[in-house]
Amino acid sequence: MPAGTTTDDPTGAVIAAWRAESARLVGALTRMTRDVDLAEDLAQDALLAALEQWPATGIPDNPSAWLMTTAKRRGVDHFRRAETLRRKVAELEHGRGEEAEVPDLDDQVDHIEDDVLRLVFLTCHPSLTPESRAALTLRLVGGLTTAEIARGFLTSEATMGQRISRAKKTLALARAELELPTGAERVARLDDVMAVLYLIFNEGYSATAGDDWMRTDLVDEATGLARMLADLASDEVEVLGLQALMELQGSRTAARLSAAGEPVLLEDQDRTLWDELRIRRGLSVLERASALAASGAPVGRYFLQASIAAQHAAARRAEDTDWRRIATLYDVLAEAAPGPVVEVNRAVAHGRAHGPDAGLAVLDAVDVSALGASPLPASVRGDLLQRAGRHGEAATAFDEAAGLTRNEGERAVLVRRAAENRADATR
């Protein structure tokens, strides 16, 4: 019986089993049918059957196996009906029956050990846009409903439904297969998969729009998918680094909001609220990644970012943070994965490690136009100017950032910091 359910809660058992097994169901059924849309329909049929039957018959001893068996039978029935129809059409057209038999579909669905990983690669197919990859991954791998995904990305259910439907059609047109890519293609596709998972995590960790600073449901879903990916690709340093990064950053979730619901900056957080279990899990995964790196495996952005997050996790007080070490890690990250966001964060690290003028020097070299209308550069500039005692300029920068953000919680903090600096400037 799934964890957290009781014999008196068949609906809860169905939901728990679905959350735990939907990706394996859809993956196995996609292998069986070679049609992701049909696979999802069959899995949904099994879900509906469970919702109808378990309250009357009781929760089966092995709910996951029950769902799989039911979905498999529905799939076999579907193909038998299709085969019967094809034979009848053939008889009408040619006056004779066909000798072809229904393939042994039972065997095809029994080999599911790699199907979840294959499904993740399928939903992150290069023919899809990053937004469509994220939506389809949450739907087929995460098991979320269209309404849940729409809420996460602040769009309507109808819009999200259309996006998911178009993504499935695109996969069909691209003749995308449920097969693991190999060689250089696998490396490239794995990068796409990790990018999608981190996109989902970041959207939950620091929402780009809306009233809420965080959406913990997206953080939890992305972390769960990263754990799954790490289980399936346990010899990939970057995959382990991605999970470690999400565990360590996610450990701060309870401390990132004040009682009033406002964002709390890292150095102001109550670190006793950090999730020790997630920290230990993150450090453990990072240790495994470090061992692989020490044996010669290449490292990249996720491993290095996780290493930076581990430095924060190790500091029990903000003033204990080893900013010089973090600045050095950002220098390495800037070499391994250059980009404007990395440079802005490097400016923060150098500002803390070597003084605000050092941070401003890094920031001045950043092409902020590459970040579009992001409030990040202006908010970092405001912070560095404030630390340099240039309060008037800091107020202007915070005002600029507040005008750019689309998140109400972030805007409230930026407006307050602008007002505080204006007040300091007049003293």
Side-chain angles (χ1 to χ4, degrees), residues 367-395:
D367 178 12
V368 295
S369 65
L371 290 169
S374 169
L376 180 63
S379 65
V380 168
R381 182 174 296 282
D383 182 80
L384 291 168
L385 289 168
Q386 177 182 326
R387 291 173 188 277
R390 297 158 62 179
H391 296 294
E393 296 169 82

Tab-separated table of all heavy atoms in Angstrom, residues 367-395:
chain	number	residue	atom	x	y	z
A	367	ASP	N	26.953	42.341	-19.998
A	367	ASP	CA	26.019	42.858	-21.009
A	367	ASP	C	24.600	42.572	-20.522
A	367	ASP	O	24.036	41.517	-20.792
A	367	ASP	CB	26.275	42.181	-22.351
A	367	ASP	CG	25.286	42.644	-23.425
A	367	ASP	OD1	24.570	43.636	-23.177
A	367	ASP	OD2	25.233	41.995	-24.489
A	368	VAL	N	24.030	43.525	-19.767
A	368	VAL	CA	22.730	43.278	-19.151
A	368	VAL	C	21.610	43.194	-20.188
A	368	VAL	O	20.530	42.663	-19.893
A	368	VAL	CB	22.407	44.364	-18.102
A	368	VAL	CG1	23.387	44.300	-16.948
A	368	VAL	CG2	22.396	45.743	-18.743
A	369	SER	N	21.864	43.693	-21.410
A	369	SER	CA	20.810	43.599	-22.426
A	369	SER	C	20.503	42.139	-22.747
A	369	SER	O	19.403	41.811	-23.204
A	369	SER	CB	21.237	44.344	-23.694
A	369	SER	OG	22.360	43.708	-24.294
A	370	ALA	N	21.479	41.251	-22.494
A	370	ALA	CA	21.255	39.830	-22.747
A	370	ALA	C	20.243	39.237	-21.782
A	370	ALA	O	19.737	38.129	-22.006
A	370	ALA	CB	22.581	39.068	-22.640
A	371	LEU	N	19.949	39.951	-20.693
A	371	LEU	CA	18.980	39.455	-19.703
A	371	LEU	C	17.595	40.046	-19.918
A	371	LEU	O	16.697	39.833	-19.092
A	371	LEU	CB	19.478	39.776	-18.289
A	371	LEU	CG	20.702	38.976	-17.836
A	371	LEU	CD1	21.265	39.542	-16.547
A	371	LEU	CD2	20.318	37.518	-17.643
A	372	GLY	N	17.433	40.804	-21.007
A	372	GLY	CA	16.112	41.348	-21.305
A	372	GLY	C	15.627	42.266	-20.209
A	372	GLY	O	16.349	43.149	-19.743
A	373	ALA	N	14.381	42.033	-19.757
A	373	ALA	CA	13.763	42.899	-18.747
A	373	ALA	C	13.906	42.318	-17.346
A	373	ALA	O	13.128	42.642	-16.453
A	373	ALA	CB	12.292	43.109	-19.074
A	374	SER	N	14.910	41.481	-17.119
A	374	SER	CA	15.103	40.890	-15.792
A	374	SER	C	15.469	41.952	-14.762
A	374	SER	O	16.311	42.825	-15.031
A	374	SER	CB	16.209	39.835	-15.856
A	374	SER	OG	16.568	39.436	-14.541
A	375	PRO	N	14.892	41.881	-13.572
A	375	PRO	CA	15.254	42.845	-12.519
A	375	PRO	C	16.559	42.490	-11.815
A	375	PRO	O	17.038	43.255	-10.982
A	375	PRO	CB	14.071	42.728	-11.546
A	375	PRO	CG	13.601	41.311	-11.688
A	375	PRO	CD	13.826	40.955	-13.141
A	376	LEU	N	17.158	41.328	-12.163
A	376	LEU	CA	18.323	40.833	-11.422
A	376	LEU	C	19.503	41.800	-11.424
A	376	LEU	O	20.040	42.121	-10.345
A	376	LEU	CB	18.737	39.462	-11.967
A	376	LEU	CG	19.945	38.811	-11.300
A	376	LEU	CD1	19.663	38.518	-9.831
A	376	LEU	CD2	20.322	37.513	-12.028
A	377	PRO	N	19.969	42.300	-12.603
A	377	PRO	CA	21.141	43.187	-12.565
A	377	PRO	C	20.909	44.438	-11.725
A	377	PRO	O	21.778	44.835	-10.947
A	377	PRO	CB	21.367	43.525	-14.045
A	377	PRO	CG	20.711	42.445	-14.811
A	377	PRO	CD	19.522	42.054	-13.993
A	378	ALA	N	19.738	45.047	-11.858
A	378	ALA	CA	19.474	46.282	-11.107
A	378	ALA	C	19.394	46.011	-9.612
A	378	ALA	O	19.880	46.813	-8.805
A	378	ALA	CB	18.173	46.917	-11.610
A	379	SER	N	18.796	44.900	-9.217
A	379	SER	CA	18.694	44.598	-7.784
A	379	SER	C	20.059	44.296	-7.187
A	379	SER	O	20.369	44.718	-6.067
A	379	SER	CB	17.724	43.442	-7.540
A	379	SER	OG	18.209	42.248	-8.112
A	380	VAL	N	20.924	43.602	-7.946
A	380	VAL	CA	22.280	43.329	-7.465
A	380	VAL	C	23.082	44.627	-7.392
A	380	VAL	O	23.818	44.874	-6.423
A	380	VAL	CB	22.971	42.297	-8.381
A	380	VAL	CG1	24.468	42.219	-8.071
A	380	VAL	CG2	22.326	40.930	-8.208
A	381	ARG	N	22.912	45.482	-8.387
A	381	ARG	CA	23.616	46.773	-8.345
A	381	ARG	C	23.171	47.575	-7.123
A	381	ARG	O	24.003	48.183	-6.421
A	381	ARG	CB	23.348	47.559	-9.634
A	381	ARG	CG	24.087	48.906	-9.698
A	381	ARG	CD	23.894	49.565	-11.063
A	381	ARG	NE	24.489	48.770	-12.131
A	381	ARG	CZ	25.796	48.743	-12.398
A	381	ARG	NH1	26.638	49.470	-11.679
A	381	ARG	NH2	26.251	48.007	-13.379
A	382	GLY	N	21.860	47.564	-6.868
A	382	GLY	CA	21.374	48.287	-5.700
A	382	GLY	C	21.994	47.759	-4.416
A	382	GLY	O	22.394	48.535	-3.538
A	383	ASP	N	22.103	46.446	-4.305
A	383	ASP	CA	22.682	45.841	-3.103
A	383	ASP	C	24.150	46.232	-2.943
A	383	ASP	O	24.594	46.597	-1.840
A	383	ASP	CB	22.540	44.326	-3.180
A	383	ASP	CG	23.084	43.632	-1.945
A	383	ASP	OD1	22.373	43.592	-0.919
A	383	ASP	OD2	24.233	43.150	-1.998
A	384	LEU	N	24.902	46.189	-4.042
A	384	LEU	CA	26.333	46.529	-3.967
A	384	LEU	C	26.519	48.005	-3.645
A	384	LEU	O	27.398	48.386	-2.852
A	384	LEU	CB	27.009	46.163	-5.292
A	384	LEU	CG	27.132	44.652	-5.571
A	384	LEU	CD1	27.531	44.401	-7.026
A	384	LEU	CD2	28.153	44.007	-4.634
A	385	LEU	N	25.688	48.870	-4.246
A	385	LEU	CA	25.783	50.303	-3.964
A	385	LEU	C	25.426	50.598	-2.508
A	385	LEU	O	26.046	51.445	-1.859
A	385	LEU	CB	24.858	51.073	-4.917
A	385	LEU	CG	25.322	51.108	-6.385
A	385	LEU	CD1	24.198	51.631	-7.278
A	385	LEU	CD2	26.571	51.983	-6.528
A	386	GLN	N	24.431	49.896	-2.000
A	386	GLN	CA	24.064	50.072	-0.595
A	386	GLN	C	25.242	49.706	0.303
A	386	GLN	O	25.556	50.423	1.268
A	386	GLN	CB	22.858	49.206	-0.259
A	386	GLN	CG	22.441	49.280	1.214
A	386	GLN	CD	21.266	48.375	1.533
A	386	GLN	OE1	20.383	48.185	0.692
A	386	GLN	NE2	21.245	47.818	2.730
A	387	ARG	N	25.894	48.580	0.010
A	387	ARG	CA	27.038	48.152	0.821
A	387	ARG	C	28.209	49.126	0.696
A	387	ARG	O	29.042	49.228	1.603
A	387	ARG	CB	27.468	46.741	0.399
A	387	ARG	CG	26.458	45.680	0.772
A	387	ARG	CD	26.794	44.304	0.206
A	387	ARG	NE	25.686	43.399	0.444
A	387	ARG	CZ	25.489	42.749	1.595
A	387	ARG	NH1	26.360	42.884	2.574
A	387	ARG	NH2	24.446	41.959	1.748
A	388	ALA	N	28.275	49.845	-0.440
A	388	ALA	CA	29.339	50.827	-0.630
A	388	ALA	C	28.989	52.166	0.005
A	388	ALA	O	29.795	53.109	-0.056
A	388	ALA	CB	29.610	51.003	-2.125
A	389	GLY	N	27.802	52.253	0.588
A	389	GLY	CA	27.380	53.502	1.222
A	389	GLY	C	26.858	54.533	0.246
A	389	GLY	O	26.662	55.693	0.615
A	390	ARG	N	26.623	54.133	-0.988
A	390	ARG	CA	26.118	55.054	-2.021
A	390	ARG	C	24.593	54.915	-2.094
A	390	ARG	O	24.026	54.401	-3.045
A	390	ARG	CB	26.790	54.731	-3.355
A	390	ARG	CG	28.309	54.958	-3.295
A	390	ARG	CD	29.093	54.201	-4.348
A	390	ARG	NE	28.757	54.568	-5.718
A	390	ARG	CZ	29.343	54.040	-6.793
A	390	ARG	NH1	30.323	53.122	-6.622
A	390	ARG	NH2	28.986	54.411	-8.003
A	391	HIS	N	23.935	55.403	-1.025
A	391	HIS	CA	22.521	55.101	-0.828
A	391	HIS	C	21.605	55.741	-1.883
A	391	HIS	O	20.584	55.156	-2.260
A	391	HIS	CB	22.110	55.524	0.577
A	391	HIS	CG	22.817	54.761	1.649
A	391	HIS	ND1	22.634	53.412	1.853
A	391	HIS	CD2	23.773	55.152	2.554
A	391	HIS	CE1	23.401	52.993	2.856
A	391	HIS	NE2	24.121	54.041	3.287
A	392	GLY	N	21.940	56.936	-2.325
A	392	GLY	CA	21.096	57.564	-3.342
A	392	GLY	C	21.059	56.763	-4.626
A	392	GLY	O	19.989	56.513	-5.208
A	393	GLU	N	22.240	56.339	-5.062
A	393	GLU	CA	22.320	55.526	-6.284
A	393	GLU	C	21.656	54.155	-6.048
A	393	GLU	O	21.032	53.594	-6.959
A	393	GLU	CB	23.775	55.338	-6.694
A	393	GLU	CG	24.498	56.610	-7.080
A	393	GLU	CD	25.994	56.375	-7.218
A	393	GLU	OE1	26.427	55.899	-8.292
A	393	GLU	OE2	26.731	56.649	-6.245
A	394	ALA	N	21.807	53.626	-4.833
A	394	ALA	CA	21.190	52.324	-4.525
A	394	ALA	C	19.665	52.427	-4.617
A	394	ALA	O	19.005	51.529	-5.162
A	394	ALA	CB	21.602	51.873	-3.129
A	395	ALA	N	19.107	53.521	-4.109
A	395	ALA	CA	17.652	53.698	-4.174
A	395	ALA	C	17.172	53.708	-5.622
A	395	ALA	O	16.151	53.095	-5.968
A	395	ALA	CB	17.255	54.988	-3.463
